[in-house]
């Protein structure tokens, strides 16, 4: 029986016999073959837009399978099974540092751990002026960032100063919840506490609060010279740049049905069943999400960078009722959106109309969830819709790239064809000249 201890500690999940590592959805290129033995940190797949996917353990590569991912937006992914049983442990691979920070972060597999799993290398630009480390958890049920803060309270500010120096960023802020543990200060790093009641955690709101800068939904923080990383991501960036260690897993919060909480360090690719076994939970289903744990997950769902909590409640909390159009969600939205209309479009499956209603501007701050008397999980619906729209956009971009590539290919084929036409005409003229010449020669001989 495992002891469920204080939530400020971090426990290690023992290595399970089988993992399933999610591959990127955007045309991944495998760097290994089925049956290969890979070591921890070895690159197993790359894609142009994402971070490299690294093997989290030493294991034997199996045949890819499709698995549900443990995240509230009902994603599935092609996953690469890795068998860890009866395999002699190999020394881990290290990150080969490059003078180009983006290349190093890509090769180290660093992605955001705040819920979006956005590749860290795509947030970095050389002209960034402000670094923000986001240690502000909006969901009071999730405490993995708080645990990281407690474990690294003495060194976090120094770590952030080191990251700022490595990335050549002149200013750095660590943003904490109002009730977070104290951390040791260091010169050059501001420590800011976010007041109670603020829609915590969302990076655009954080930037608005800390820097008084409004980032429109169609612009990125980097467009304004700002870079914001979750505390777990920041620690992984420091590990990559300072110790050449790749990102192979994350810390997540586990809540048992009896209310006990642990924070657990897991390699990417373990299943909810592995975590349930460790936490002594006998349930076939888990729920993803904190306060509104309504996204039910099968036991073989795969834990990946977006999984920040597994809530082993027996049933989904507070079954939602239909929208009664009370309008309570309207005044609380910091982006002046209309959650009730967005939700109606979501029910109709009308993503185009959701886009017209500024779905992109939704900060997923959960303020509308908090006031909804029908207990509708509006934010989960909007997060799923944003994911759906982003995937569709990515596909459109790819289709356009393929079309342009095809047209260029056709143009390249057309050039030799044109020359081939010219050559054929020239050859025909030469042949006719030769025939005419021969005829003239024959006529002269007969004379
Ligand atoms: S608060 Fe809930 S029930 Fe009321 S209008 Fe908004 S979505 Fe509908
Ligand atoms: S989660 Fe709700 S309140 Fe927050 S920005 Fe989105 S629609 Fe508005």
């Amino acid at each position: 029986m495992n002891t469920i201890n204080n939530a400020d500690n971090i426990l290690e999940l023992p290595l399970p016999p089988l993992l399933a590592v999610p591959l990127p959805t955007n045309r991944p290129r495998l760097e290994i073959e089925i049956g290969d033995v890979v070591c921890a940190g070895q690159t197993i797949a790359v894609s142009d837009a994402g971070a490299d996917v690294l093997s989290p353990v030493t294991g034997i590569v199996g045949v890819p399978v499709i698995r549900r991912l443990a995240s509230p937006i009902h994603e599935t992914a092609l996953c690469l099974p890795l068998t860890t049983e009866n395999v002699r442990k190999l020394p881990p691979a290290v990150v080969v540092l490059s003078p180009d920070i983006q290349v190093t972060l890509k090769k180290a597999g660093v992605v955001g751990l705040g819920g979006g799993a956005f590749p860290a290398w795509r947030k970095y630009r050389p002209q960034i002026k402000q670094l923000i480390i986001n240690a502000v958890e909006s969901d009071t049920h999730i405490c993995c960032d708080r645990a990281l803060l407690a474990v690294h309270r003495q060194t976090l500010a120094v770590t952030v100063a080191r990251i700022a120096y490595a990335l050549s960023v002149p200013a750095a802020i660590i943003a904490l919840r109002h009730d977070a543990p104290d951390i040791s200060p260091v010169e050059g790093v501001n420590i800011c506490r976010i007041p109670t009641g603020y829609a915590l955690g969302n990076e655009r709101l954080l930037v608005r609060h800390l820097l008084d800068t409004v980032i429109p939904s169609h612009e990125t923080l980097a467009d304004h010279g700002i870079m914001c990383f979750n505390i777990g991501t920041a620690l992984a960036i420091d590990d990559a740049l300072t110790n050449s260690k790749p990102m192979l897993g994350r810390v997540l919060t586990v809540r048992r049905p009896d209310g006990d909480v642990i924070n657990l360090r897991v390699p990417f690719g373990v299943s909810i069943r592995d975590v349930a076994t460790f936490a002594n939970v006998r349930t076939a289903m888990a729920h993803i999400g904190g306060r509104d744990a309504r996204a039910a997950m099968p036991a073989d769902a795969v834990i990946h960078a977006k999984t920040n909590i597994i809530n082993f409640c027996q049933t989904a909390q507070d079954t939602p009722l239909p929208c009664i159009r009370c309008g309570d969600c309207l005044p609380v939205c910091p982006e002046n959106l209309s959650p009730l209309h967005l939700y109606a479009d979501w029910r109709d499956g009308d993503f185009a109309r959701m886009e017209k209603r500024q779905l992109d501007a939704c900060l997923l701050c959960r303020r509308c969830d908090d006031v909804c008397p029908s207990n509708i999980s509006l934010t989960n619906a909007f997060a799923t819709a944003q994911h759906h729209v982003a995937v569709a956009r990515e596909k459109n971009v790819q289709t356009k790239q393929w079309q342009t590539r095809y047209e260029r290919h056709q143009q390249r084929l057309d050039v030799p064809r044109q020359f081939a036409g010219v050559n054929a005409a020239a050859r025909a003229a030469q042949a006719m000249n030769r025939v005419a010449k021969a005829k003239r020669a024959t006529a002269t001989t007969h004379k």
Side-chain angles (χ1 to χ4, degrees):
M1 175 135 177
N2 299 302
T3 310
I4 303 302
N5 69 350
N6 188 304
D8 277 355
N9 288 344
I10 296 175
L11 304 181
E12 290 276 342
L13 181 77
L15 197 57
L18 183 69
L19 287 83
V21 183
L23 297 172
T25 48
N26 188 5
R27 298 200 299 132
R29 298 186 295 282
L30 287 184
E31 299 275 298
I32 40 80
E33 292 189 358
I34 293 163
D36 281 357
V37 177
V38 290
C39 67
Q42 183 174 335
T43 306
I44 54 179
V46 296
S47 70
D48 292 338
D52 291 359
V53 177
L54 313 176
S55 171
V57 293
T58 299
I60 303 171
V61 177
V63 179
V65 287
I66 291 183
R67 282 285 183 79
R68 179 88 176 264
L69 298 182
S71 75
I73 58 171
H74 304 283
E75 291 171 273
T76 53
L78 194 64
C79 296
L80 204 63
L82 290 176
T83 308
T84 60
E85 263 182 337
N86 304 323
V87 185
R88 193 167 56 86
K89 206 172 170 196
L90 299 171
V94 294
V95 180
V96 180
L97 298 179
S98 157
D100 185 339
I101 295 282
Q102 285 190 317
V103 172
T104 303
L105 295 180
K106 189 175 192 304
K107 286 193 175 304
V110 183
V111 293
L113 297 180
F118 192 77
W121 68 270
R122 286 176 57 187
K123 283 191 171 184
Y124 174 73
R125 310 250 175 93
Q127 70 275 19
I128 293 286
K129 297 280 176 289
Q130 178 73 60
L131 172 67
I132 299 175
I133 303 303
N134 182 357
V136 186
E137 274 164 324
S138 28
D139 193 324
T140 46
H141 279 51
I142 304 173
C143 52
C144 47
D145 288 355
R146 184 191 163 92
L148 284 171
L149 206 54
V151 170
H152 296 273
R153 67 207 300 176
Q154 304 292 346
T155 54
L156 182 66
V158 177
T159 304
V160 172
R162 196 161 50 219
I163 296 171
Y165 179 76
L167 304 185
S168 308
V169 183
I173 299 176
I174 301 176
L176 305 175
R177 273 178 68 108
H178 68 283
D179 54 356
D182 285 330
I183 62 172
S184 303
V186 78
E187 201 179 326
V189 177
N190 278 335
I191 297 170
C192 297
R193 288 184 178 269
I194 305 300
T196 318
Y198 191 71
L200 307 156
N202 180 278
E203 62 180 25
R204 283 170 198 267
L205 284 181
L206 205 53
V207 167
R208 197 183 299 180
H209 179 79
L210 295 171
L211 307 174
D212 205 15
T213 303
V214 177
I215 314 279
S217 61
H218 58 277
E219 292 176 10
T220 64
L221 268 61
D223 295 336
H224 294 254
I226 304 165
M227 194 165 49
C228 182
F229 292 119
N230 163 271
I231 176 177
T233 319
L235 293 168
I237 289 174
D238 182 56
D239 247 355
L241 298 178
T242 311
N243 307 319
S244 297
K245 275 193 185 169
M247 180 192 264
L248 305 180
R250 65 161 298 145
V251 176
L252 54 83
T253 300
V254 180
R255 296 185 78 87
R256 289 174 22 132
D258 57 11
D260 275 341
V261 176
I262 53 172
N263 287 298
L264 200 55
R265 189 179 297 282
V266 301
F268 295 138
V270 297
S271 69
I272 288 182
R273 186 182 291 109
D274 299 324
V275 175
T277 307
F278 179 80
N280 273 340
V281 177
R282 285 192 202 142
T283 173
M285 296 294 275
H287 294 83
I288 303 297
R291 287 175 305 186
D292 64 335
R294 295 189 190 115
M297 288 285 135
D300 67 351
V302 171
I303 290 167
H304 62 138
K306 289 183 190 173
T307 319
N308 50 11
I309 183 166
I310 298 176
N311 205 333
F312 287 110
C313 46
Q314 295 300 338
T315 55
Q317 294 164 0
D318 304 329
T319 310
L321 300 168
C323 170
I324 53 171
R325 300 182 79 80
C326 63
D328 287 359
C329 51
L330 294 172
V332 296
C333 178
E335 293 296 302
N336 292 324
L337 303 178
S338 174
L340 78 100
H341 289 111
L342 280 168
Y343 183 65
D345 296 340
W346 158 253
R347 296 281 312 254
D348 294 343
D350 193 341
F351 295 111
R353 195 176 309 161
M354 290 184 90
E355 279 188 87
K356 280 192 194 142
R357 291 193 200 278
Q358 309 293 323
L359 171 69
D360 278 347
C362 173
L363 303 166
L364 308 178
C365 67
R366 297 189 184 276
R367 280 186 176 185
C368 48
D369 288 10
D370 285 349
V371 295
C372 178
S374 294
N375 283 319
I376 299 170
S377 182
L378 297 157
T379 313
N380 277 354
F382 303 157
T384 310
Q386 283 184 347
H387 174 73
H388 180 95
V389 169
V391 170
R393 274 188 202 139
E394 191 88 30
K395 274 191 185 150
N396 272 347
V397 170
Q398 271 179 27
T399 309
K400 278 192 185 137
Q401 282 172 348
W402 278 105
Q403 202 169 350
T404 314
R405 210 178 282 181
Y406 174 76
E407 282 167 6
R408 286 202 191 126
H409 179 66
Q410 286 301 107
Q411 281 168 4
R412 279 200 299 276
L413 286 179
D414 282 349
V415 171
R417 271 192 212 130
Q418 287 162 7
F419 281 125
V422 170
N423 290 343
R427 276 199 302 277
Q430 282 171 358
M432 283 167 69
N433 282 342
R434 273 199 303 275
V435 170
K437 208 172 172 183
K439 276 184 182 169
R440 277 199 301 275
T442 314
T444 314
T445 313
H446 287 308
K447 276 180 190 171

